[in-house]
Amino acid sequence: MVKICCIGAGYVGGPTMAVIALKCPKIEVAVVDISVPRIKAWNSDQLPIYEPGLDEVVKQCRGKNLFFSTEVEKHVSEADIVFVSVNTPTKTRGLGAGKAADLTYWESAARMIADVSKSDKIVVEKSTVPVKTAEAIEKILTHNSKGINFQILSNPEFLAEGTAIKDLFKPDRVLIGGRETPEGLKAVKALKDVYAHWVPEENILTTNLWSAELSKLAANAFLAQRISSVNAMSALCEATGADVSQVSYAVGTDSRIGPKFLNASVGFGGSCFQKDILNLVYICECNGLPEVAEYWKQVIKINDHQKTRFVNRVVASMFNTVANKKVAILGFAFKKDTGDTRETPAIDVCKGLLGDKARLSIYDPQVTEDQIQRDLTMNKFDWDHPLHLQPMSPTTVKQVSVVWDAYEATKDAHAVCILTEWDEFKTLDFQKIYDNMQKPAFIFDGRNIINVDKLREIGFIMYSIGKPLDAWLKDMPAVA
């Protein structure tokens, strides 16, 4: 029986291994992590991550050919294929701080694999890693190998949170990069055979190691670039009276461009986009390509500008101050159908409003109060380090209350900011919300999910990103 072990039971490792176990009943899959609470959660009825469809998959396989364990060394030494899915946070200090990936966790995983291995192994990079990581890992493994052969493969994940299980069942492509040597090609084939249980052969792409590593960064950079492009247009639409939804629809009907990732919003978030672009920037700078680095930096600058613009619009519309005003925040996760808050635009928007002394009442159907408080007290990039390196008990931000109902959040509020596109926000009783708010009642729709005209009829002063401005807002220009 082929044995697979995955180091790291997070957003990538957990769901990916669960689907491999489901689709390959003859393969034994172990997911290992040093975090006892995390493994406990994977073995319980309350999984540590929320992802539609994940529960069913885990319950079907857990205890049969899918195991979650803290016995890291035991499972690594028994495995034929070891996936490494540990964090590669952005460095917060030292060389490359703020841009380069921190490979501390990767390196210690590689040293441990070399230490405990008694048989040849295929080691698969599953985390998003900077180009040439495989080479570094290879050096660690070969210098500590005690005569054991290791083959390194790059198998980046292209999952979108909220649809991860669907993406794993029917991937656009599975990408496997390996050395172009007889041993390397054999290792590539071994991993290809695992995916071939359910993925059509034409959807499994094989490349050299560096191409696979770079493809992951490139894919995320291109997607983020599309969002920044439409968000840059949204600012111009507001200035000219155009409607960004109409513009992006017209642009998206061009078959060369296509309609995906063209929704204007308060900005992109998630654990990958910003981190991967910063990584790309750093690699370009290290390779003497400052112009290319500058080009990709601009994608992040526009994203930051969009969040600032949103906060400025809120403050300017409300007589240039939100001090002591109650602002309801609907949605804190970085997108719907996930409880993930990593790099969510809501953090920057909330911090911006708190900076002007607003009182915030936050509601998100999937994010806990503890998580929200932690996010609002954490420094940038800290979220990507293990929990013990994060603020232990968040110093409660006094101006923030977290509630479990949209109507409670909006009661007596001066304004509502919609920051996540949860479906339930589209069907709220806005007449009821209006009746219970302070007047004038403002709604700032950071996701363009509600009907502007209907809400104006109720009496709201409305701001929707990239839409023609309310007369009120024209009289209250947002100064940067």
Short mmCIF file of all heavy atoms in Angstrom, two decimals, residues 56 86 138 147 193 209 227 260 273 376 404 407:
data_model
loop_
_atom_site.label_atom_id
_atom_site.label_comp_id
_atom_site.label_asym_id
_atom_site.label_seq_id
_atom_site.Cartn_x
_atom_site.Cartn_y
_atom_site.Cartn_z
N GLU A 56 -18.15 16.35 4.81
CA GLU A 56 -18.59 15.05 4.26
C GLU A 56 -17.40 14.22 3.82
O GLU A 56 -17.32 13.02 4.09
CB GLU A 56 -19.53 15.25 3.05
CG GLU A 56 -20.87 15.89 3.39
CD GLU A 56 -20.81 17.40 3.56
OE1 GLU A 56 -19.77 18.01 3.22
OE2 GLU A 56 -21.78 17.98 4.07
N VAL A 86 3.77 23.52 4.87
CA VAL A 86 3.96 24.38 6.04
C VAL A 86 3.90 25.84 5.60
O VAL A 86 3.97 26.15 4.42
CB VAL A 86 5.31 24.10 6.74
CG1 VAL A 86 5.36 22.69 7.28
CG2 VAL A 86 6.49 24.35 5.78
N GLU A 138 16.63 20.50 -1.68
CA GLU A 138 17.40 19.37 -2.22
C GLU A 138 18.78 19.30 -1.56
O GLU A 138 19.25 18.23 -1.19
CB GLU A 138 17.57 19.63 -3.73
CG GLU A 138 17.59 18.39 -4.57
CD GLU A 138 17.44 18.75 -6.05
OE1 GLU A 138 18.01 19.75 -6.51
OE2 GLU A 138 16.74 18.00 -6.72
N GLY A 147 22.72 8.18 2.57
CA GLY A 147 22.59 7.18 1.50
C GLY A 147 21.17 6.97 0.99
O GLY A 147 20.92 6.14 0.12
N ASP A 193 0.39 9.41 -11.09
CA ASP A 193 -0.47 8.23 -10.94
C ASP A 193 -1.48 8.41 -9.79
O ASP A 193 -2.59 7.87 -9.85
CB ASP A 193 0.37 6.96 -10.68
CG ASP A 193 1.13 6.53 -11.93
OD1 ASP A 193 0.80 7.04 -13.02
OD2 ASP A 193 2.06 5.70 -11.81
N LEU A 209 11.19 21.95 -12.50
CA LEU A 209 10.92 22.45 -11.14
C LEU A 209 10.67 23.94 -11.09
O LEU A 209 9.73 24.41 -10.47
CB LEU A 209 12.14 22.13 -10.24
CG LEU A 209 12.09 20.82 -9.46
CD1 LEU A 209 13.41 20.63 -8.74
CD2 LEU A 209 10.95 20.80 -8.47
N ILE A 227 -7.93 42.18 -10.56
CA ILE A 227 -8.76 42.86 -9.54
C ILE A 227 -8.30 44.31 -9.39
O ILE A 227 -9.11 45.23 -9.34
CB ILE A 227 -8.69 42.12 -8.19
CG1 ILE A 227 -9.26 40.71 -8.34
CG2 ILE A 227 -9.44 42.89 -7.10
CD1 ILE A 227 -9.03 39.80 -7.14
N LYS A 260 -14.12 36.66 -15.65
CA LYS A 260 -13.78 36.33 -14.27
C LYS A 260 -12.84 37.35 -13.63
O LYS A 260 -11.99 37.92 -14.30
CB LYS A 260 -13.18 34.94 -14.19
CG LYS A 260 -14.22 33.85 -14.47
CD LYS A 260 -13.67 32.47 -14.27
CE LYS A 260 -14.76 31.43 -14.48
NZ LYS A 260 -14.22 30.09 -14.50
N PHE A 273 -2.49 36.24 -2.39
CA PHE A 273 -2.23 37.26 -3.42
C PHE A 273 -1.11 38.22 -3.04
O PHE A 273 -0.12 38.36 -3.75
CB PHE A 273 -3.50 38.04 -3.75
CG PHE A 273 -4.46 37.30 -4.65
CD1 PHE A 273 -4.18 36.01 -5.07
CD2 PHE A 273 -5.63 37.89 -5.09
CE1 PHE A 273 -5.05 35.32 -5.91
CE2 PHE A 273 -6.51 37.20 -5.92
CZ PHE A 273 -6.22 35.92 -6.32
N LEU A 376 -7.42 42.71 14.64
CA LEU A 376 -7.34 44.17 14.76
C LEU A 376 -6.20 44.62 15.66
O LEU A 376 -5.86 45.79 15.69
CB LEU A 376 -8.68 44.73 15.28
CG LEU A 376 -9.85 44.59 14.29
CD1 LEU A 376 -11.14 45.10 14.91
CD2 LEU A 376 -9.57 45.30 12.97
N TRP A 404 -23.82 38.71 16.69
CA TRP A 404 -24.11 37.54 15.86
C TRP A 404 -25.38 37.70 15.04
O TRP A 404 -26.10 36.76 14.79
CB TRP A 404 -24.16 36.28 16.74
CG TRP A 404 -22.76 35.88 17.04
CD1 TRP A 404 -22.06 36.13 18.17
CD2 TRP A 404 -21.84 35.24 16.14
NE1 TRP A 404 -20.77 35.68 18.05
CE2 TRP A 404 -20.61 35.13 16.82
CE3 TRP A 404 -21.93 34.75 14.83
CZ2 TRP A 404 -19.48 34.54 16.25
CZ3 TRP A 404 -20.81 34.17 14.26
CH2 TRP A 404 -19.60 34.07 14.96
N TYR A 407 -28.98 42.58 12.18
CA TYR A 407 -29.91 43.61 12.67
C TYR A 407 -29.39 44.22 13.96
O TYR A 407 -29.54 45.43 14.20
CB TYR A 407 -31.31 43.02 12.86
CG TYR A 407 -31.86 42.51 11.54
CD1 TYR A 407 -31.95 41.15 11.26
CD2 TYR A 407 -32.23 43.42 10.53
CE1 TYR A 407 -32.41 40.69 10.04
CE2 TYR A 407 -32.69 42.96 9.30
CZ TYR A 407 -32.78 41.60 9.04
OH TYR A 407 -33.21 41.17 7.83
#
